Amino acid sequence: MRHSVLALCALAGLVVAGCSHRPASHPTDEPFRSVYHHSPAAHWMNDPNGMFYDETNGVWHLYYQHNPFGTTWGPMHWGHATSTDLLCWQEHPIVLYPDSIGTIFSGSIVIDRYNTAGFGENAVVAIYTQSEVCGQHQSIAYSTDGGYTFTKYAGNPVLKGDIADFRDPKVTWDGDHWLMTLACQQEIRFYGSKDLKNWEYLSSFGKDLGAHGGVWECPELIQLKVKNEKLKTEVDKYVLLVSINPGGPFGGSATQYFVGDWDGKTFTCEPGKYADEKSVPWLDYGKDNYSTFTFHNSPDGRFVALGWMSNWQYANQLPTVAFRSQNTVARDLFLFVDDEGEYRLGSVPSKETLALKGAETGYLPDCAVIELELNGKQDALITLANDKGEKVVMTLDVHRQTFSMDRTASGDCSFSHEFAANTTAPLYVKRDTYHVTLFVDHCSIEAFDSEGAWSMTNLVFPSEPYHHLDVQGGKATIFEIKH
Ligand code: FRU
């Protein structure tokens, strides 16, 4: 079995490599295969895992939760893809297979510059969850060929689970040691280590804070600088990303976040903040951006993130054939202060994503980047439609200070009664003119406030592409996709 899977991946890898993303003649070609989003060559994918940037050759590595035996969730492996521009992806053979400890769940990767683990200077070390009937444990594996093949550590697991739901380690370097952020049922635990092999419990966070409508998953602690205009200074804050499923604001999966401080042992937020799910902010205000992680070692000190563009409510039923799921476009995360004086996590399309923007065009192609300029004094209505009467209607409501996207008539919604939805984002910052950028691909629309105050990611499955764009209350400029 292992050989046939490898052969298939290798074959698919050849096809997906190169920049047209998918030659039209390929048998796995299908109408909903994305043109500029990463999707697996074949079979099932969920969370992005272990992402890192190799500055020695400019290669971005993306691993992902993968079932090579079918197009629904199953025994998890780590699939692997690389890119030099975050737009064109080349598939590689699977790097981690299940073993006697368990299947391979989500996790992260670090470059061990100082050989703390003893696997060699600059070894690429994966830290991941292994799941079995009796529990979940953290294991490690190392690569000395830059992330293409991995050897599992003989002493695995390095952190044995003591409760059910004990997973998704995100490891970062914290001054003079490694820090692991781990999801444990409905809270986050922090562990420290000098060598990636021995882990010491530091603290827990979140028991009574934020949303608790489901299990907490895929956490990450990020240190960001933010300009505080009132204090006229730049301050260091920490942001804890926590995916939750179910319990998202529009049903099913979503990623909440907490802004606070880290003292080397504990993460704390201002007293009274995030007291319940109504007061917790969300990384993205669509239904389809889950398990967001940033790339370890992103260049220029940036925090470049990818999310899984799906939702556990219907992920297994999406109407694709040879493969299932894709990732979001790359976004840079940053902190800003909103009109109420609150720290907020913003997302802007990364410069690599913006490089997609080709020539301006007078018609709406199947896939496009659309820049909207909306008058902040009146409501705006933006409609993407096709000749079948399928449409996505977006609304800027200046009174309520919201942007929403209604996909209830967007095309095929029949595969799940949870799919049809109208999602709404708070604008966070009042402007005279709102600039909104839309990224339209074969089965998705990602909307961004152009300065990053909010983002909204939604899947859509129209029976033919939307070739009509109507904007009331503003104007639009359409750009072809360049690749
Ligand atoms: C999140 C998640 C993780 C887990 C993985 C299993 O989508 O449930 O918590 O590690 O998927 O595939």
Side-chain angles (χ1 to χ4, degrees):
M1 195 58 183
R2 182 179 161 144
H3 289 298
S4 61
V5 168
L6 276 180
L8 197 128
C9 286
L11 175 72
L14 283 177
V15 174
V16 176
C19 214
S20 71
H21 306 271
R22 51 165 203 128
S25 58
H26 187 256
T28 64
D29 184 12
E30 34 183 297
F32 296 129
R33 171 76 79 177
S34 285
V35 172
Y36 55 86
H37 292 85
H38 169 262
S39 57
H43 300 137
W44 167 268
M45 173 177 84
N46 56 293
D47 316 351
N49 295 151
M51 299 180 290
F52 77 99
Y53 176 72
D54 186 344
E55 80 275 17
T56 64
N57 54 15
V59 174
W60 301 84
H61 288 259
L62 161 67
Y63 306 84
Y64 53 87
Q65 286 288 280
H66 184 46
N67 174 13
F69 306 114
T71 50
T72 51
W73 190 84
M76 285 293 110
H77 298 55
W78 271 26
H80 182 205
T82 55
S83 175
T84 51
D85 60 6
L86 290 173
L87 299 172
C88 315
W89 292 93
Q90 181 175 359
E91 292 288 322
H92 298 285
I94 287 169
V95 291
L96 291 172
Y97 286 81
D99 56 34
S100 61
I101 303 173
T103 53
I104 315 291
F105 273 22
S106 287
S108 51
I109 274 184
V110 294
I111 301 171
D112 189 8
R113 298 198 189 284
Y114 313 117
N115 193 17
T116 62
F119 301 134
E121 221 169 82
N122 292 320
V124 173
V125 184
I127 308 95
Y128 51 94
T129 299
Q130 296 215 250
S131 187
E132 46 113 0
V133 192
C134 296
Q136 298 184 333
H137 318 288
Q138 317 318 318
S139 290
I140 61 176
Y142 61 94
S143 167
T144 50
D145 64 1
Y148 293 90
T149 57
F150 284 80
T151 305
K152 288 174 180 157
Y153 171 52
N156 281 340
V158 292
L159 182 60
K160 250 182 142 332
D162 52 10
I163 47 167
D165 294 324
F166 185 73
R167 59 177 180 262
D168 309 337
K170 173 72 183 177
V171 173
T172 47
W173 183 247
D174 192 26
D176 60 354
H177 64 279
W178 299 105
L179 174 69
M180 179 195 290
T181 307
L182 193 72
C184 304
Q185 300 190 335
Q186 291 196 19
E187 58 181 36
I188 301 304
R189 283 197 201 166
F190 297 102
Y191 291 84
S193 172
K194 290 275 181 205
D195 60 3
L196 296 168
K197 294 172 178 163
N198 298 287
W199 293 92
E200 180 199 347
Y201 171 78
L202 299 175
S203 63
S204 299
F205 169 84
K207 196 165 171 289
D208 303 313
L209 297 177
H212 284 274
V215 68
W216 286 20
E217 304 183 311
C218 300
E220 174 165 3
L221 185 69
I222 306 172
Q223 183 183 9
L224 290 166
K225 289 202 179 307
V226 58
K227 272 203 197 94
N228 188 322
E229 298 297 343
K230 267 194 217 137
L231 300 176
K232 297 267 176 261
T233 53
E234 204 170 52
V235 290
D236 276 308
K237 295 303 277 183
Y238 282 79
V239 175
L240 182 63
L241 292 174
V242 178
S243 290
I244 177 173
N245 178 64
F250 311 108
S253 324
T255 303
Q256 59 186 323
Y257 68 86
F258 304 86
V259 183
D261 298 300
W262 174 250
D263 68 3
K265 272 204 161 172
T266 45
F267 177 73
T268 45
C269 301
E270 238 176 73
K273 282 255 147 75
Y274 316 123
D276 55 31
E277 67 181 23
K278 283 195 204 76
S279 58
V280 80
W282 301 89
L283 170 71
D284 188 286
Y285 286 87
K287 274 198 85 153
D288 301 303
N289 182 358
Y290 196 57
S291 316
T292 291
F293 284 116
T294 67
F295 282 84
H296 168 71
N297 199 38
S298 293
D300 318 315
R302 293 186 290 148
F303 288 90
V304 180
L306 290 183
W308 175 45
M309 207 195 276
S310 198
N311 187 313
W312 282 115
Q313 282 184 326
Y314 41 71
N316 280 287
Q317 285 100 48
L318 296 180
T320 55
V321 182
F323 75 101
R324 199 166 266 136
S325 289
Q326 61 190 11
N327 285 308
T328 65
V329 290
R331 298 132 186 244
D332 281 20
L333 304 185
F334 67 98
L335 263 188
F336 68 98
V337 181
D338 75 5
D339 284 353
E340 314 281 301
E342 297 285 340
Y343 292 120
R344 300 289 178 198
L345 186 61
S347 319
V348 275
S350 301
K351 65 177 186 201
E352 292 81 358
T353 303
L354 288 171
L356 265 179
K357 252 174 72 178
E360 202 179 311
T361 155
Y363 70 101
L364 181 57
D366 294 6
C367 303
V369 177
I370 302 171
E371 289 183 353
L372 301 168
E373 202 179 305
L374 308 173
N375 181 343
K377 295 207 174 52
Q378 66 182 93
D379 291 351
L381 203 65
I382 305 105
T383 309
L384 285 168
N386 63 20
D387 287 331
K388 296 269 170 59
E390 296 164 345
K391 59 184 181 185
V392 176
V393 181
M394 287 162 266
T395 313
L396 173 80
D397 185 325
V398 291
H399 178 65
R400 288 174 56 217
Q401 284 284 291
T402 56
F403 183 90
S404 31
M405 192 187 296
D406 182 345
R407 69 173 178 195
T408 52
S410 58
D412 187 0
C413 298
S414 65
F415 51 88
S416 161
H417 68 277
E418 318 268 20
F419 187 75
N422 186 2
T423 62
T424 301
L427 298 178
Y428 285 127
V429 179
K430 201 167 169 29
R431 307 188 201 283
D432 293 338
T433 306
Y434 290 95
H435 293 273
V436 175
T437 308
L438 304 177
F439 289 85
V440 182
D441 204 335
H442 283 146
C443 67
S444 59
I445 301 173
E446 286 155 286
F448 290 86
D449 168 64
S450 302
E451 288 174 49
W454 54 267
S455 68
M456 184 178 287
T457 302
N458 282 318
L459 290 169
V460 284
F461 296 96
S463 54
E464 60 182 49
Y466 307 119
H467 283 156
H468 307 294
L469 172 65
D470 180 63
V471 181
Q472 291 167 35
K475 58 180 190 192
T477 314
I478 303 172
F479 300 88
E480 291 173 339
I481 295 301
K482 185 170 70 184
H483 56 84

